[in-house]
Amino acid sequence: STNEYPRSLALVQRVLRVFSKEVVTVLNSVLNRRADALSASLATMHRDNLKAFCPPSSWKLTDCQLDATNLLEEVFSQHQKRKQEMDIFDRIEARLNALFSGKIGSDEAALQSLLSQVRYLMHLPQDYQVLPEEPKSSRRWGSFLGLGRHKDESSLVENLLEPERDASGRLTDKGRAQIYAGVRKCNPIDVQFVGDPLLARVKTYEIPVLVELTVQASNYLNDKLGLVSEAEANVVEGQTVDEDALSKHYNEMERYKKTLFRINLRFLADSRNIIFAYVLWWLFRTVGGFFS
C-alpha cells in the first residue's frame, strides 16, 4: 500500500546494498564457472553450509530478470500513485522536508539509484524503462500545490493499451480475454476510488469519532433539506445480502454521481484542517490582542 511504501522501499534498498559491484563480479564468475581457485573453494563451502537450501548449480542472476522487473514496476507504480494521492498539505510538507534536509527530489533520486542497481545486477538493457514516461507539463502553482491535474498528465492513461471496459469502468468479457491473452494490460497507476467519498473508510489523517459524527450530520442535513431524495438514499440500503461489496460500492458511486449538490461535513474530521483552523484562531487572537 502507499502507506507502507517508504518502509518497503527502505527494505529493498537494504537488500540491494549487499550486492556491490565486487560481489556481483564474484557471483557471475562463480555461476559462469570462470572463478579462480579461492572463489571456487569459498563457493563450495557456501554450498556445503546451505545443503538443501542451496540453489541449483545451473542458476544465474539473469534468471531473476522477470522477478526484478516485476519488483521495479510495483515500486515505481506505488510511487506514482502516492504522488497522485498527495493533497496540498502533503505536497507542501514534502517540499519543506526536502528543502530543509538538503535532499531535493530525494524520492526520484532513490528510485533512479534503485533502477541502476537492478540494471547492473540483472544485466537489464541500459535503455530499460520501468513505466512510460509522463509528459512534461508546464510548472504551475496548481500543479505544485496539488490542486488539480492537467490534461497532459491524464493523457498518460489514454496512451496505454487498456482492456475493454463498460461505462462504469468494470472489465467486460472481451476485456478479461484481452488480459488473459496478454494483448492488453491494466495500469496500476490508474486505480481509482470506487464508491461514495462521504462513506469511504477512515483515512490516516482523520479522527474516527469525528468521521462518524460528521457523516451522520451530513446525512441528517441532506435529508431535512431535501438535497438527497429518499429513493436515492435507500439505494444502498435496498441491496440484497448476497450482493458483493464491489457492487455495493458501484451503486454508492452511481448515486453520488447523480446527486447535483449535497452537504458533506467530513472535512471537519480532518486533523490537518483542525490544526489549520487552530493556527488561524491563534493568529487572529494574537494579532487582535496586539493592536487592541
Side-chain angles (χ1 to χ4, degrees):
S1 64
T2 54
N3 294 331
E4 294 293 330
Y5 167 78
R7 176 175 172 271
S8 301
L9 178 60
L11 291 176
V12 174
Q13 290 174 326
R14 290 177 59 184
V15 172
L16 292 179
R17 195 178 300 128
V18 178
F19 295 92
S20 61
K21 292 186 178 181
E22 293 78 9
V23 173
V24 174
T25 301
V26 173
L27 283 176
N28 287 327
S29 63
V30 172
L31 296 175
N32 295 328
R33 303 183 186 281
R34 295 195 303 267
D36 53 21
L38 178 59
S39 299
S41 62
L42 291 176
T44 302
M45 294 175 57
H46 185 64
R47 293 191 183 97
D48 294 339
N49 291 332
L50 291 178
K51 295 181 180 180
F53 299 98
C54 182
S57 57
S58 60
W59 176 82
K60 296 182 180 179
L61 291 177
T62 53
D63 295 337
C64 299
Q65 284 186 350
L66 179 59
D67 295 329
T69 53
N70 291 337
L71 175 64
L72 288 175
E73 289 179 1
E74 179 67 19
V75 172
F76 275 69
S77 62
Q78 288 294 336
H79 173 67
Q80 294 292 344
K81 183 179 179 182
R82 184 166 176 260
K83 287 202 309 182
Q84 292 179 2
E85 291 179 350
M86 294 173 67
D87 56 15
I88 177 175
F89 298 101
D90 296 328
R91 291 179 182 271
I92 293 177
E93 180 182 1
R95 296 278 182 170
L96 292 177
N97 289 337
L99 179 62
F100 289 106
S101 63
K103 298 179 179 179
I104 306 298
S106 56
D107 286 348
E108 285 74 11
L111 290 179
Q112 291 303 319
S113 176
L114 179 66
L115 176 59
S116 300
Q117 287 179 294
V118 176
R119 278 176 181 169
Y120 181 78
L121 182 60
M122 302 300 171
H123 296 280
L124 295 175
Q126 292 299 319
D127 57 349
Y128 168 74
Q129 291 184 354
V130 182
L131 295 175
E133 292 185 356
E134 296 187 21
K136 297 182 179 179
S137 58
S138 58
R139 299 182 63 88
R140 302 178 184 177
W141 283 105
S143 176
F144 177 83
L145 297 177
L147 299 179
R149 295 179 60 186
H150 302 312
K151 294 181 179 179
D152 51 0
E153 293 179 3
S154 60
S155 63
L156 172 64
V157 178
E158 300 176 358
N159 295 333
L160 298 177
L161 297 177
E162 293 186 342
E164 185 180 81
R165 300 177 183 270
D166 57 17
S168 61
R170 285 179 281 193
L171 290 173
T172 62
D173 293 337
K174 181 179 179 181
R176 294 187 181 92
Q178 291 172 338
I179 295 177
Y180 183 78
V183 297
R184 295 289 189 274
K185 67 176 182 178
C186 296
N187 182 15
I189 301 178
D190 195 37
V191 177
Q192 298 181 356
F193 173 76
V194 176
D196 188 344
L198 180 62
L199 305 177
R201 291 185 298 178
V202 179
K203 306 296 191 300
T204 56
Y205 49 81
E206 291 179 324
I207 302 175
V209 176
L210 293 182
V211 169
E212 184 177 356
L213 293 176
T214 53
V215 170
Q216 292 179 359
S218 300
N219 292 332
Y220 177 80
L221 292 175
N222 290 324
D223 181 41
K224 292 300 181 181
L225 297 176
L227 299 178
V228 178
S229 63
E230 184 178 357
E232 292 177 346
N234 293 330
V235 170
V236 180
E237 297 177 359
Q239 301 300 322
T240 61
V241 179
D242 297 334
E243 189 148 16
D244 58 286
L246 181 60
S247 299
K248 176 182 177 181
H249 292 315
Y250 267 108
N251 287 323
E252 291 176 355
M253 184 173 62
E254 291 298 325
R255 182 188 65 175
Y256 168 67
K257 291 181 178 179
K258 293 178 181 178
T259 304
L260 297 178
F261 176 77
R262 70 176 182 180
I263 296 176
N264 186 354
L265 302 176
R266 186 161 173 170
F267 70 95
L268 297 175
D270 193 329
S271 59
R272 300 167 301 182
N273 293 337
I274 297 176
I275 296 174
F276 182 71
Y278 175 78
V279 172
L280 285 181
W281 172 80
W282 180 82
L283 288 176
F284 279 116
R285 183 180 178 184
T286 304
V287 174
F290 179 78
F291 286 102
S292 61

